[in-house]
Amino acid sequence: MSRNTKVVVGGVAVGLILLIWLPWWVSFLIVVGVPTAAYLTLDPAQRRRLRRAAGKEIGR
């Protein structure tokens, strides 16, 4: 199993556990809000590098 697949499977597992223990809107805020906040903390040069790397991954 590739590294990306492991990350996706782990994220789905955590999301399902959060849905069981917390209200749906809290789970949504954690699953969507944390990555969004992390992206917004990057400076513009880091965001460009991240977008460039993500585009190369998609084009494979």
Side-chain angles (χ1 to χ4, degrees), residues 29-57:
L29 284 177
I30 292 171
V31 171
V32 174
V34 170
T36 302
Y39 178 78
L40 292 175
T41 60
L42 297 175
D43 63 49
Q46 290 172 322
R47 289 181 191 177
R48 275 193 304 273
R49 280 191 7 218
L50 183 63
R51 279 186 299 227
R52 194 169 48 234
K56 289 180 183 176
E57 292 290 323

Side-chain angles (χ1 to χ4, degrees), residues 7-29:
V7 170
V8 169
V9 170
V12 169
V14 168
L16 290 174
I17 291 170
L18 287 175
L19 280 173
I20 292 169
W21 284 347
L22 300 172
W24 72 269
W25 58 272
V26 175
S27 301
F28 179 78
L29 284 177

Side-chain angles (χ1 to χ4, degrees), residues 1-14:
M1 200 168 6
S2 73
R3 180 177 179 269
N4 288 341
T5 305
K6 291 177 186 176
V7 170
V8 169
V9 170
V12 169
V14 168

